mmCIF file of all heavy atoms in Angstrom:
data_model
loop_
_atom_site.group_PDB
_atom_site.id
_atom_site.type_symbol
_atom_site.label_atom_id
_atom_site.label_comp_id
_atom_site.label_asym_id
_atom_site.label_seq_id
_atom_site.Cartn_x
_atom_site.Cartn_y
_atom_site.Cartn_z
ATOM 1 N N ALA A 1 45.070 26.562 -1.518
ATOM 2 C CA ALA A 1 46.268 27.399 -1.572
ATOM 3 C C ALA A 1 45.923 28.850 -1.355
ATOM 4 O O ALA A 1 46.690 29.590 -0.713
ATOM 5 C CB ALA A 1 46.989 27.219 -2.904
ATOM 6 N N ALA A 2 44.764 29.300 -1.852
ATOM 7 C CA ALA A 2 44.337 30.686 -1.670
ATOM 8 C C ALA A 2 43.562 30.904 -0.389
ATOM 9 O O ALA A 2 43.188 32.018 -0.064
ATOM 10 C CB ALA A 2 43.451 31.097 -2.859
ATOM 11 N N ASP A 3 43.349 29.820 0.373
ATOM 12 C CA ASP A 3 42.598 29.861 1.632
ATOM 13 C C ASP A 3 41.152 30.322 1.417
ATOM 14 O O ASP A 3 40.588 31.096 2.205
ATOM 15 C CB ASP A 3 43.300 30.786 2.647
ATOM 16 C CG ASP A 3 43.231 30.232 4.061
ATOM 17 O OD1 ASP A 3 42.780 29.102 4.256
ATOM 18 O OD2 ASP A 3 43.610 30.987 4.992
ATOM 19 N N THR A 4 40.520 29.824 0.338
ATOM 20 C CA THR A 4 39.144 30.170 0.025
ATOM 21 C C THR A 4 38.216 28.978 -0.082
ATOM 22 O O THR A 4 37.053 29.127 -0.431
ATOM 23 C CB THR A 4 39.090 30.972 -1.297
ATOM 24 O OG1 THR A 4 39.601 30.152 -2.351
ATOM 25 C CG2 THR A 4 39.846 32.284 -1.201
ATOM 26 N N GLY A 5 38.707 27.780 0.247
ATOM 27 C CA GLY A 5 37.876 26.583 0.229
ATOM 28 C C GLY A 5 38.683 25.364 0.607
ATOM 29 O O GLY A 5 39.903 25.410 0.655
ATOM 30 N N ARG A 6 37.978 24.264 0.865
ATOM 31 C CA ARG A 6 38.637 22.997 1.224
ATOM 32 C C ARG A 6 37.777 21.822 0.719
ATOM 33 O O ARG A 6 36.541 21.930 0.638
ATOM 34 C CB ARG A 6 38.776 22.830 2.743
ATOM 35 C CG ARG A 6 39.711 23.811 3.427
ATOM 36 C CD ARG A 6 41.153 23.529 3.041
ATOM 37 N NE ARG A 6 42.090 24.344 3.798
ATOM 38 C CZ ARG A 6 42.406 25.600 3.554
ATOM 39 N NH1 ARG A 6 41.820 26.254 2.575
ATOM 40 N NH2 ARG A 6 43.290 26.219 4.282
ATOM 41 N N LEU A 7 38.450 20.703 0.418
ATOM 42 C CA LEU A 7 37.754 19.501 -0.054
ATOM 43 C C LEU A 7 38.396 18.299 0.627
ATOM 44 O O LEU A 7 39.624 18.134 0.556
ATOM 45 C CB LEU A 7 37.916 19.410 -1.568
ATOM 46 C CG LEU A 7 37.369 18.183 -2.248
ATOM 47 C CD1 LEU A 7 35.841 18.124 -2.108
ATOM 48 C CD2 LEU A 7 37.769 18.142 -3.726
ATOM 49 N N HIS A 8 37.566 17.493 1.268
ATOM 50 C CA HIS A 8 38.044 16.313 1.972
ATOM 51 C C HIS A 8 37.192 15.106 1.621
ATOM 52 O O HIS A 8 35.936 15.219 1.502
ATOM 53 C CB HIS A 8 38.003 16.508 3.483
ATOM 54 C CG HIS A 8 39.042 17.460 3.988
ATOM 55 N ND1 HIS A 8 38.983 18.818 3.778
ATOM 56 C CD2 HIS A 8 40.186 17.220 4.667
ATOM 57 C CE1 HIS A 8 40.027 19.390 4.328
ATOM 58 N NE2 HIS A 8 40.771 18.450 4.867
ATOM 59 N N GLY A 9 37.852 13.980 1.490
ATOM 60 C CA GLY A 9 37.151 12.738 1.197
ATOM 61 C C GLY A 9 36.891 11.954 2.459
ATOM 62 O O GLY A 9 37.653 12.001 3.417
ATOM 63 N N ILE A 10 35.785 11.213 2.445
ATOM 64 C CA ILE A 10 35.447 10.281 3.502
ATOM 65 C C ILE A 10 35.812 8.897 3.025
ATOM 66 O O ILE A 10 35.376 8.460 1.967
ATOM 67 C CB ILE A 10 33.943 10.335 3.857
ATOM 68 C CG1 ILE A 10 33.544 11.755 4.273
ATOM 69 C CG2 ILE A 10 33.600 9.319 4.924
ATOM 70 C CD1 ILE A 10 32.021 11.962 4.382
ATOM 71 N N ARG A 11 36.667 8.208 3.794
ATOM 72 C CA ARG A 11 37.137 6.884 3.414
ATOM 73 C C ARG A 11 36.716 5.851 4.448
ATOM 74 O O ARG A 11 36.760 6.112 5.637
ATOM 75 C CB ARG A 11 38.648 6.884 3.288
ATOM 76 C CG ARG A 11 39.144 7.771 2.177
ATOM 77 C CD ARG A 11 40.672 7.708 2.050
ATOM 78 N NE ARG A 11 41.125 8.564 0.973
ATOM 79 C CZ ARG A 11 41.074 8.226 -0.311
ATOM 80 N NH1 ARG A 11 40.633 7.048 -0.666
ATOM 81 N NH2 ARG A 11 41.495 9.075 -1.243
ATOM 82 N N GLU A 12 36.334 4.679 3.920
ATOM 83 C CA GLU A 12 36.045 3.542 4.798
ATOM 84 C C GLU A 12 37.353 3.022 5.416
ATOM 85 O O GLU A 12 38.448 3.425 4.981
ATOM 86 C CB GLU A 12 35.404 2.415 3.975
ATOM 87 C CG GLU A 12 34.090 2.775 3.316
ATOM 88 C CD GLU A 12 32.920 2.560 4.241
ATOM 89 O OE1 GLU A 12 33.095 2.570 5.487
ATOM 90 O OE2 GLU A 12 31.829 2.385 3.714
ATOM 91 N N LYS A 13 37.221 2.127 6.346
ATOM 92 C CA LYS A 13 38.369 1.537 7.020
ATOM 93 C C LYS A 13 39.374 0.958 6.027
ATOM 94 O O LYS A 13 40.574 1.034 6.198
ATOM 95 C CB LYS A 13 37.900 0.466 7.999
ATOM 96 C CG LYS A 13 38.971 -0.178 8.801
ATOM 97 C CD LYS A 13 38.402 -1.182 9.769
ATOM 98 C CE LYS A 13 39.502 -1.760 10.661
ATOM 99 N NZ LYS A 13 38.927 -2.659 11.670
ATOM 100 N N ASP A 14 38.868 0.371 4.950
ATOM 101 C CA ASP A 14 39.755 -0.257 3.950
ATOM 102 C C ASP A 14 40.344 0.757 2.986
ATOM 103 O O ASP A 14 41.053 0.365 2.034
ATOM 104 C CB ASP A 14 38.999 -1.349 3.192
ATOM 105 C CG ASP A 14 37.877 -0.828 2.279
ATOM 106 O OD1 ASP A 14 37.688 0.402 2.221
ATOM 107 O OD2 ASP A 14 37.215 -1.671 1.652
ATOM 108 N N GLY A 15 40.060 2.057 3.139
ATOM 109 C CA GLY A 15 40.606 3.102 2.297
ATOM 110 C C GLY A 15 39.719 3.500 1.109
ATOM 111 O O GLY A 15 40.057 4.444 0.409
ATOM 112 N N THR A 16 38.592 2.823 0.921
ATOM 113 C CA THR A 16 37.707 3.147 -0.185
ATOM 114 C C THR A 16 37.060 4.518 0.014
ATOM 115 O O THR A 16 36.483 4.787 1.065
ATOM 116 C CB THR A 16 36.601 2.096 -0.318
ATOM 117 O OG1 THR A 16 37.193 0.816 -0.486
ATOM 118 C CG2 THR A 16 35.698 2.397 -1.497
ATOM 119 N N LEU A 17 37.170 5.366 -0.990
ATOM 120 C CA LEU A 17 36.560 6.675 -0.991
ATOM 121 C C LEU A 17 35.050 6.509 -1.199
ATOM 122 O O LEU A 17 34.624 5.930 -2.204
ATOM 123 C CB LEU A 17 37.158 7.550 -2.099
ATOM 124 C CG LEU A 17 36.615 8.949 -2.254
ATOM 125 C CD1 LEU A 17 36.929 9.778 -1.027
ATOM 126 C CD2 LEU A 17 37.227 9.607 -3.502
ATOM 127 N N VAL A 18 34.217 7.001 -0.253
ATOM 128 C CA VAL A 18 32.777 6.816 -0.330
ATOM 129 C C VAL A 18 31.986 8.119 -0.294
ATOM 130 O O VAL A 18 30.782 8.105 -0.444
ATOM 131 C CB VAL A 18 32.260 5.871 0.786
ATOM 132 C CG1 VAL A 18 32.795 4.446 0.590
ATOM 133 C CG2 VAL A 18 32.583 6.404 2.177
ATOM 134 N N GLY A 19 32.679 9.237 -0.074
ATOM 135 C CA GLY A 19 31.956 10.509 -0.002
ATOM 136 C C GLY A 19 32.909 11.635 0.294
ATOM 137 O O GLY A 19 34.133 11.464 0.254
ATOM 138 N N GLY A 20 32.321 12.776 0.603
ATOM 139 C CA GLY A 20 33.168 13.908 0.930
ATOM 140 C C GLY A 20 32.406 15.032 1.573
ATOM 141 O O GLY A 20 31.161 15.082 1.568
ATOM 142 N N VAL A 21 33.161 15.916 2.172
ATOM 143 C CA VAL A 21 32.653 17.191 2.716
ATOM 144 C C VAL A 21 33.561 18.280 2.200
ATOM 145 O O VAL A 21 34.722 18.048 1.894
ATOM 146 C CB VAL A 21 32.585 17.196 4.249
ATOM 147 C CG1 VAL A 21 31.532 16.231 4.769
ATOM 148 C CG2 VAL A 21 33.954 16.905 4.883
ATOM 149 N N LEU A 22 32.992 19.475 2.088
ATOM 150 C CA LEU A 22 33.782 20.537 1.558
ATOM 151 C C LEU A 22 33.361 21.882 2.162
ATOM 152 O O LEU A 22 32.250 21.999 2.688
ATOM 153 C CB LEU A 22 33.650 20.597 0.027
ATOM 154 C CG LEU A 22 32.248 20.799 -0.529
ATOM 155 C CD1 LEU A 22 32.071 22.241 -0.996
ATOM 156 C CD2 LEU A 22 31.994 19.853 -1.666
ATOM 157 N N LEU A 23 34.270 22.797 2.076
ATOM 158 C CA LEU A 23 33.937 24.198 2.290
ATOM 159 C C LEU A 23 33.953 24.792 0.895
ATOM 160 O O LEU A 23 35.014 25.035 0.316
ATOM 161 C CB LEU A 23 34.940 24.872 3.216
ATOM 162 C CG LEU A 23 34.994 24.320 4.632
ATOM 163 C CD1 LEU A 23 36.055 25.068 5.452
ATOM 164 C CD2 LEU A 23 33.645 24.410 5.306
ATOM 165 N N ARG A 24 32.761 24.913 0.297
ATOM 166 C CA ARG A 24 32.643 25.402 -1.075
ATOM 167 C C ARG A 24 33.175 26.842 -1.159
ATOM 168 O O ARG A 24 33.828 27.220 -2.128
ATOM 169 C CB ARG A 24 31.197 25.352 -1.537
ATOM 170 C CG ARG A 24 31.028 25.478 -3.043
ATOM 171 C CD ARG A 24 29.593 25.513 -3.453
ATOM 172 N NE ARG A 24 28.915 26.746 -3.082
ATOM 173 C CZ ARG A 24 29.110 27.899 -3.699
ATOM 174 N NH1 ARG A 24 29.938 27.994 -4.703
ATOM 175 N NH2 ARG A 24 28.473 28.994 -3.287
ATOM 176 N N THR A 25 32.901 27.601 -0.130
ATOM 177 C CA THR A 25 33.471 28.954 -0.014
ATOM 178 C C THR A 25 34.024 29.096 1.405
ATOM 179 O O THR A 25 33.558 28.461 2.334
ATOM 180 C CB THR A 25 32.413 30.057 -0.247
ATOM 181 O OG1 THR A 25 31.381 29.934 0.738
ATOM 182 C CG2 THR A 25 31.794 29.948 -1.637
ATOM 183 N N LEU A 26 35.034 29.935 1.529
ATOM 184 C CA LEU A 26 35.669 30.236 2.796
ATOM 185 C C LEU A 26 36.124 31.680 2.741
ATOM 186 O O LEU A 26 37.097 32.022 2.053
ATOM 187 C CB LEU A 26 36.849 29.290 3.015
ATOM 188 C CG LEU A 26 37.673 29.471 4.293
ATOM 189 C CD1 LEU A 26 36.839 29.194 5.525
ATOM 190 C CD2 LEU A 26 38.894 28.552 4.254
#
């Protein structure tokens, strides 16, 4: 919301959350 970071999950084809990538700072 403050445009200072992002967090996204990596999901398998079946929708299972298995990891993530982020912008810790922006």
Side-chain angles (χ1 to χ4, degrees):
D3 218 8
T4 60
R6 294 290 187 280
L7 176 65
H8 288 73
I10 301 169
R11 296 182 179 280
E12 298 275 23
K13 182 178 185 175
D14 68 1
T16 303
L17 180 63
V18 294
V21 292
L22 60 103
L23 296 179
R24 196 184 71 74
T25 61
L26 178 64

